[in-house]
Amino acid sequence: MRQQHYRFAHQVLMSAVLRDPSGWWAAAAAQGNAMLQQAWAAAGEGLGPEDRADGTALTLAPVYPAPGVEALLITLPPPQAPTECHYIALVRAAGQPPRYFVAERGIEGEGGAQRAYWAEWRFSPGGGIMRMRGADLPAISPEAFVAAAVASCGAAPPAPQAAPWQGSRPNTPAKVNRVGLFLGAGCFTLFLFVASIGGYLLYQEEGRGLHVPDTEVASVAIEPDKPFQIQFKWDGTGYAFNNVWLVVDEGTTSGANFKVGGNVSCSRGSRAEKVDASLTRYGAHNVERKSGAGFSAWLYLMDEYEHSSSRPIECSGVIAPTEGTWTKARIVVTQRQRPSDWFAQ
């Protein structure tokens, strides 16, 4: 997976659009191509040649897939690995704010058949950002992708109402078939069990965000402008997102905000990656405001999507506040795995 390709669709452009969907849409009418190139350049900052891709062929085009529905279709350089995207679509229906969809390359099917599926990045009920995975596309084409996104934006039809009971009410209760009752109860219990397992897997795959705080697998204290190193392993099954965080245990804001900047690299990656995080962006979690200007928070910095290996991963870098200060902070690594990552090759 090329980091620039991934970061463009799933981080840089996504974050810019979700911050102000209607504002981004309006600005794109006059300077859409320039905005795409700016986001592509930002996604490639600090990356080595093997993680970069040529973005000069990026295109943006308005499409009108259905009455009352508009879309902006972005075509990316052809993806070479799973999670890289074929297309991005902003879909605006019935006067609602635009929604952000991606068409991701999937894991190859039998005989090496190419697969792609749609997904949507959006705000979760708790205020964070989550990625909702959709179904496989019937064809890897702009038309199939936009049609799937438009269908997701459409309201589901109301469930049919049961007709009122027309018969007469019996004077005496009917006999109960206890065998049928027991069988029905058993089937219902089995259904509930299967539904609960399916619901849990769906939540882990789609409902839960990729970059959310979790159990710490490694932690090291950090000081502003001083190099840090942290080492950990992913030796489970399949792939996992190794999320790197700045956890500020004791910090002070400046003008109600706190920002950090710097560079971080990991041993299985290449060159240092520029990081830029703040309390007001989507990567801020567990923010607790304290007396005065004090606070504590988890700030997402970057991730390494890696296959299982006994070889340690070492991340290092230098970061420092650009707004506000901290007196106690740590670099923390957590690991996030979706059910589909278990089987990724």
Side-chain angles (χ1 to χ4, degrees):
M1 177 183 67
R2 295 166 296 176
Q3 287 291 328
Q4 185 175 20
H5 211 291
Y6 174 87
R7 290 169 60 188
F8 173 79
H10 297 293
Q11 295 179 4
V12 178
L13 188 63
M14 178 272 291
S15 180
V17 171
L18 292 194
R19 273 199 300 270
D20 185 5
S22 298
W24 199 97
W25 181 290
Q31 45 190 325
N33 288 325
M35 292 161 64
L36 293 184
Q37 290 301 323
Q38 184 180 24
W40 189 264
E45 288 183 356
L47 299 179
E50 65 275 19
D51 279 325
R52 299 176 66 91
D54 183 3
T56 56
L58 281 167
T59 62
L60 182 148
V63 293
Y64 305 93
V69 180
E70 304 171 273
L72 295 178
L73 177 69
I74 300 167
T75 302
L76 281 72
Q80 298 179 1
T83 72
E84 293 184 2
C85 293
H86 294 273
Y87 312 105
I88 298 169
L90 277 65
V91 180
R92 183 168 66 178
Q96 297 298 313
R99 292 165 59 176
Y100 186 90
F101 295 87
V102 294
E104 296 186 31
R105 175 171 171 166
I107 300 169
E108 293 181 351
E110 293 185 4
Q114 292 293 315
R115 294 174 52 244
Y117 56 87
W118 68 268
E120 180 184 6
W121 283 98
R122 65 194 204 186
F123 286 102
S124 66
I129 292 179
M130 63 182 183
R131 170 183 162 279
M132 301 293 293
R133 186 188 188 284
D136 279 18
L137 296 173
I140 304 177
S141 68
E143 295 78 12
F145 168 51
V146 171
V150 170
S152 178
C153 290
Q161 300 295 315
W165 172 251
Q166 300 294 332
S168 60
R169 186 177 298 277
N171 295 324
T172 58
K175 292 183 179 180
V176 177
N177 185 332
R178 297 187 181 276
V179 174
L181 181 63
F182 290 139
L183 287 175
C187 290
F188 183 67
T189 302
L190 178 61
F191 169 78
L192 288 179
F193 174 75
V194 173
S196 63
I197 295 297
Y200 172 77
L201 292 176
L202 180 62
Y203 168 73
Q204 290 294 328
E205 180 72 28
E206 303 299 343
R208 202 169 164 229
L210 292 177
H211 307 129
V212 292
D214 210 326
T215 303
E216 299 180 18
V217 299
S219 175
V220 63
I222 183 173
E223 296 182 44
D225 278 323
K226 291 189 177 181
F228 72 85
Q229 287 186 336
I230 189 168
Q231 193 175 90
F232 55 95
K233 287 183 181 181
W234 167 246
D235 53 5
T237 302
Y239 280 82
F241 290 86
N242 299 282
N243 294 325
V244 182
W245 304 83
L246 172 67
V247 177
V248 180
D249 296 308
E250 297 176 6
T252 304
T253 60
S254 174
N257 197 15
F258 174 84
K259 292 183 179 180
V260 295
N263 295 279
V264 180
S265 64
C266 291
S267 58
R268 292 194 196 171
S270 53
R271 298 181 182 178
E273 179 176 330
K274 183 178 179 180
V275 296
D276 184 12
S278 78
L279 291 181
T280 58
R281 295 183 181 175
Y282 79 94
H285 296 266
N286 298 349
V287 178
E288 181 182 349
R289 300 286 182 172
K290 301 181 179 180
S291 60
F295 78 96
S296 62
W298 285 54
L299 301 179
Y300 167 75
L301 300 179
M302 62 174 293
D303 68 52
E304 284 288 308
Y305 186 64
E306 292 291 344
H307 194 271
S308 174
S309 172
S310 60
R311 184 175 50 149
I313 305 172
E314 183 178 279
C315 293
S316 60
V318 176
I319 60 174
T322 56
E323 289 187 26
T325 60
W326 80 64
T327 55
K328 183 180 179 182
R330 299 171 291 137
I331 293 294
V332 169
V333 175
T334 63
Q335 291 169 330
R336 165 82 169 96
Q337 188 179 43
R338 303 165 299 183
S340 61
D341 296 322
W342 300 342
F343 309 106
Q345 299 296 319

